[in-house]
Amino acid sequence: MSTLTSTAVTAEPPAVTGRRQPLHDWRPEDPDFWQTTGAPIARRNLWVSIFAEHVGFSVWSLWSVTVLFLGPAYGIDPAGKFLLTAVPAALGAVLRLPYTLAVARFGGRRWTIISALLLLVPAVPMTVLLEPGVSYSTLMVLACLTGVGGGNFASSMANINLFYPQRLKGRALGLNAGGGNLGVPAVQLVGLAVLATAGAAYPRLVPAVYLPLIVLAALAAARWLDTVPGARNEPGALREAARDPHTWVMSLLYIGTFGSFIGFGFAFGQVLQLQFAERFPTPVDAAWLTFLGPLIGSLIRPLGGHLADRLGGARVTFWNFVAMAAGASTVLYAARERSFGLYLAGFLALFVFSGIGNGSTYKMIPAIFRARAADSMASGQRDPEAAARWARRMTGALIGIAGAIGASGGVLVNIAFRQSFLSSGNADAAYLAFIGWYALCFVATWVVYRRPRAGRLANV
């Protein structure tokens, strides 16, 4: 997920021991080096990265469960609570690009330590200040600060991308992303445990649980992570990608997939309590279901990549958005008919298809530039080496931009719910907006990548 490249440095291979050794030589595309030295080091870095990113996602998602604790004593209406879940998504989206670039600037190991310790910035004051009487402006600042956890995903993906050969990047990045996404249901399960044991009077216990985990993530990074030598940010790659129309088409699609996942993950508990207040009179009643959607969406994400490998990314993405529009229509119908079972099924379907779409849209991006690189070789504009280098460069840049823009979808989802409840007292307008967005996405996928025409990109 980055514009990073790595220049191999030839030296004696580092000894592989249980202790972290400085890397002076890194050639993952060399089969002998990978088999004897590279693979064990890459696996060690992957598992530590998954843990650190998982904790980051959990901190980013803290307010998805914290708002369930904010009862009448806090004096916050539903519109105010939706703002509290929107601002972490906003900061997380803004930080994704600089966090991606920070890996080459500071080194993967060092930046993982720094980004883990930055999670203490929101977690410590939340542990101290969350109690009745705290001002709404203070809560807004605390909620915004948890957005630092959203940046961790970008730097973690950029770092792990450097460790693996091209043929294994998909699986490694899928594991890294999926492990991180599981931080959303994990923090909601922690919130459920606190609600069920200590009660709604102690919201500070949820961030308190993560204080030792944050420190452990930083210590694990210091102890077991490495920095790939020769990593550098591609000069001008982001500017070139920003001028490419495919960047904005794919960003639109990623708002629909990842934006839906993170937005619904943040808002689901609140929406349940508002939409079916008679079924969820207490926060713990809603918390029993809140984690299910993000859990399913996280676990299903690799299936999207697998289906895209077999059937084509654009085909899977197109039908996936059709399914998401159908899921949102089901939720709208169920909400109007007061059918809780159908409502829950429709919402869980939205989480399933947002997870599948996360995987399939990611698979489309390298396929787009492989196809364009092949066209440039066929026309004689680039030789094979230059074409492959350009495709990798543009793929990394587009993923970085689309990842940042896609995360902003979490803001849009929560703002849509807020405005809908403010204007009409229900979420119907929000569901109609989601249906419209998914329709725009499947039309864009068809027109740009699926419509039979001359010049259509092959195998996207």
Coordinates of all heavy atoms in Angstrom, one line a residue, residues 274-305:
L274 N -31.0 3.3 18.0 CA -32.0 4.3 17.5 C -33.1 3.7 16.7 O -34.3 4.1 16.8 CB -31.3 5.4 16.7 CG -30.3 6.3 17.5 CD1 -29.5 7.1 16.5 CD2 -31.1 7.2 18.5
Q275 N -32.8 2.7 15.8 CA -33.8 2.2 14.9 C -34.7 1.2 15.6 O -35.9 1.2 15.3 CB -33.0 1.4 13.8 CG -33.9 1.2 12.5 CD -33.9 2.5 11.6 OE1 -32.8 2.9 11.1 NE2 -35.1 3.1 11.4
F276 N -34.2 0.5 16.6 CA -35.0 -0.5 17.3 C -34.8 -0.3 18.8 O -34.3 -1.2 19.6 CB -34.6 -1.9 16.9 CG -35.0 -2.2 15.5 CD1 -34.0 -2.0 14.5 CD2 -36.2 -2.7 15.1 CE1 -34.3 -2.3 13.2 CE2 -36.5 -2.9 13.8 CZ -35.5 -2.8 12.8
A277 N -35.2 0.9 19.3 CA -35.0 1.3 20.7 C -35.7 0.3 21.7 O -35.2 0.0 22.8 CB -35.5 2.7 21.0
E278 N -36.8 -0.2 21.3 CA -37.6 -1.2 22.1 C -36.8 -2.5 22.3 O -37.0 -3.1 23.4 CB -39.0 -1.4 21.6 CG -39.0 -2.3 20.3 CD -38.7 -1.5 19.0 OE1 -38.4 -0.3 19.1 OE2 -38.6 -2.2 18.0
R279 N -36.0 -2.9 21.4 CA -35.2 -4.1 21.5 C -33.9 -3.9 22.2 O -33.3 -4.8 22.7 CB -34.9 -4.7 20.1 CG -36.1 -5.4 19.5 CD -35.7 -6.0 18.2 NE -36.7 -6.9 17.7 CZ -36.7 -8.3 17.9 NH1 -35.7 -8.8 18.6 NH2 -37.6 -9.0 17.4
F280 N -33.4 -2.7 22.2 CA -32.1 -2.4 22.8 C -32.2 -1.2 23.8 O -31.7 -0.1 23.6 CB -31.1 -2.0 21.7 CG -31.0 -3.1 20.6 CD1 -31.6 -3.0 19.4 CD2 -30.3 -4.2 20.9 CE1 -31.5 -3.9 18.4 CE2 -30.2 -5.2 19.9 CZ -30.8 -5.1 18.7
P281 N -32.9 -1.5 24.9 CA -33.0 -0.4 25.9 C -31.8 -0.1 26.7 O -31.6 1.0 27.2 CB -34.1 -1.0 26.9 CG -33.9 -2.5 26.8 CD -33.6 -2.8 25.3
T282 N -30.8 -1.0 26.7 CA -29.5 -0.7 27.4 C -28.3 -0.9 26.4 O -28.5 -1.6 25.4 CB -29.3 -1.6 28.6 OG1 -29.1 -3.0 28.1 CG2 -30.5 -1.6 29.5
P283 N -27.2 -0.3 26.6 CA -26.1 -0.4 25.7 C -25.6 -1.9 25.6 O -25.2 -2.3 24.5 CB -25.0 0.4 26.4 CG -25.7 1.4 27.2 CD -26.9 0.7 27.7
V284 N -25.7 -2.6 26.6 CA -25.2 -4.0 26.5 C -26.0 -4.8 25.6 O -25.5 -5.7 24.9 CB -25.1 -4.7 27.9 CG1 -26.5 -5.0 28.5 CG2 -24.3 -5.9 27.9
D285 N -27.3 -4.5 25.5 CA -28.1 -5.2 24.5 C -27.7 -5.0 23.1 O -27.6 -5.9 22.3 CB -29.6 -4.7 24.6 CG -30.2 -5.1 26.0 OD1 -30.0 -6.2 26.4 OD2 -30.9 -4.2 26.6
A286 N -27.3 -3.8 22.7 CA -26.8 -3.5 21.4 C -25.4 -4.0 21.2 O -25.1 -4.5 20.1 CB -26.8 -2.0 21.2
A287 N -24.6 -4.0 22.3 CA -23.2 -4.5 22.1 C -23.1 -5.9 21.8 O -22.1 -6.4 21.2 CB -22.4 -4.2 23.4
W288 N -24.1 -6.7 22.1 CA -24.1 -8.1 21.8 C -24.1 -8.4 20.3 O -23.6 -9.4 19.8 CB -25.3 -8.9 22.4 CG -25.2 -9.2 23.8 CD1 -25.8 -8.6 24.9 CD2 -24.3 -10.2 24.4 NE1 -25.4 -9.2 26.1 CE2 -24.5 -10.2 25.8 CE3 -23.4 -11.1 23.9 CZ2 -23.8 -11.0 26.7 CZ3 -22.7 -12.0 24.7 CH2 -22.9 -11.9 26.1
L289 N -24.6 -7.4 19.5 CA -24.7 -7.6 18.1 C -23.7 -6.7 17.3 O -23.3 -6.9 16.2 CB -26.1 -7.2 17.6 CG -27.2 -8.3 17.9 CD1 -28.5 -7.7 17.5 CD2 -26.9 -9.6 17.3
T290 N -23.2 -5.6 18.0 CA -22.4 -4.6 17.3 C -21.2 -5.2 16.6 O -20.8 -4.8 15.5 CB -21.9 -3.5 18.3 OG1 -23.1 -2.9 18.8 CG2 -21.1 -2.5 17.6
F291 N -20.5 -6.2 17.3 CA -19.2 -6.7 16.8 C -19.4 -7.7 15.6 O -18.5 -7.9 14.9 CB -18.5 -7.4 17.9 CG -19.0 -8.7 18.3 CD1 -18.5 -9.9 17.7 CD2 -20.1 -8.9 19.2 CE1 -19.0 -11.1 18.0 CE2 -20.6 -10.1 19.5 CZ -20.1 -11.2 18.9
L292 N -20.6 -8.2 15.4 CA -20.8 -9.2 14.4 C -20.5 -8.8 13.0 O -19.8 -9.5 12.2 CB -22.3 -9.7 14.5 CG -22.6 -10.8 15.5 CD1 -24.1 -11.2 15.4 CD2 -21.7 -12.0 15.4
G293 N -21.0 -7.6 12.6 CA -20.8 -7.1 11.3 C -19.3 -6.9 10.9 O -18.8 -7.5 9.9
P294 N -18.6 -6.1 11.8 CA -17.1 -6.0 11.5 C -16.4 -7.3 11.5 O -15.4 -7.4 10.7 CB -16.7 -5.0 12.6 CG -17.9 -4.3 13.0 CD -19.0 -5.2 12.8
L295 N -16.8 -8.2 12.4 CA -16.1 -9.5 12.4 C -16.2 -10.2 11.1 O -15.3 -10.7 10.5 CB -16.6 -10.3 13.6 CG -16.0 -11.8 13.7 CD1 -14.5 -11.7 14.0 CD2 -16.8 -12.5 14.8
I296 N -17.5 -10.3 10.6 CA -17.7 -11.0 9.3 C -17.0 -10.3 8.2 O -16.4 -11.0 7.3 CB -19.3 -11.1 9.1 CG1 -19.9 -12.0 10.2 CG2 -19.5 -11.6 7.7 CD1 -21.4 -11.9 10.1
G297 N -17.1 -9.0 8.2 CA -16.5 -8.2 7.1 C -15.0 -8.4 7.0 O -14.4 -8.5 6.0
S298 N -14.3 -8.5 8.2 CA -12.9 -8.7 8.3 C -12.5 -10.1 7.8 O -11.6 -10.3 7.0 CB -12.4 -8.5 9.7 OG -12.7 -7.2 10.2
L299 N -13.3 -11.1 8.3 CA -12.9 -12.5 7.9 C -13.2 -12.8 6.4 O -12.5 -13.7 5.9 CB -13.7 -13.5 8.8 CG -13.4 -13.4 10.3 CD1 -14.3 -14.4 11.1 CD2 -11.9 -13.8 10.5
I300 N -14.1 -12.1 5.8 CA -14.5 -12.4 4.4 C -13.6 -11.7 3.5 O -13.6 -12.1 2.3 CB -16.0 -12.1 4.2 CG1 -16.6 -12.9 3.1 CG2 -16.1 -10.6 3.9 CD1 -16.9 -14.3 3.4
R301 N -12.8 -10.7 3.9 CA -12.0 -9.9 3.0 C -11.2 -10.8 2.0 O -11.1 -10.5 0.8 CB -11.2 -8.9 3.7 CG -10.3 -8.1 2.8 CD -9.6 -6.9 3.6 NE -8.8 -6.2 2.7 CZ -8.5 -4.9 2.8 NH1 -9.0 -4.2 3.9 NH2 -7.7 -4.2 2.0
P302 N -10.4 -11.8 2.5 CA -9.6 -12.6 1.6 C -10.4 -13.2 0.5 O -9.8 -13.5 -0.6 CB -8.9 -13.6 2.5 CG -8.9 -13.0 3.9 CD -10.2 -12.2 3.9
L303 N -11.7 -13.5 0.7 CA -12.5 -14.2 -0.3 C -12.6 -13.3 -1.5 O -12.6 -13.7 -2.7 CB -13.9 -14.5 0.2 CG -14.8 -15.2 -0.8 CD1 -14.3 -16.5 -1.3 CD2 -16.2 -15.4 -0.1
G304 N -12.7 -11.9 -1.3 CA -12.8 -11.0 -2.4 C -11.6 -11.1 -3.3 O -11.7 -11.1 -4.5
G305 N -10.4 -11.2 -2.7 CA -9.2 -11.3 -3.5 C -9.1 -12.6 -4.2 O -8.7 -12.7 -5.4

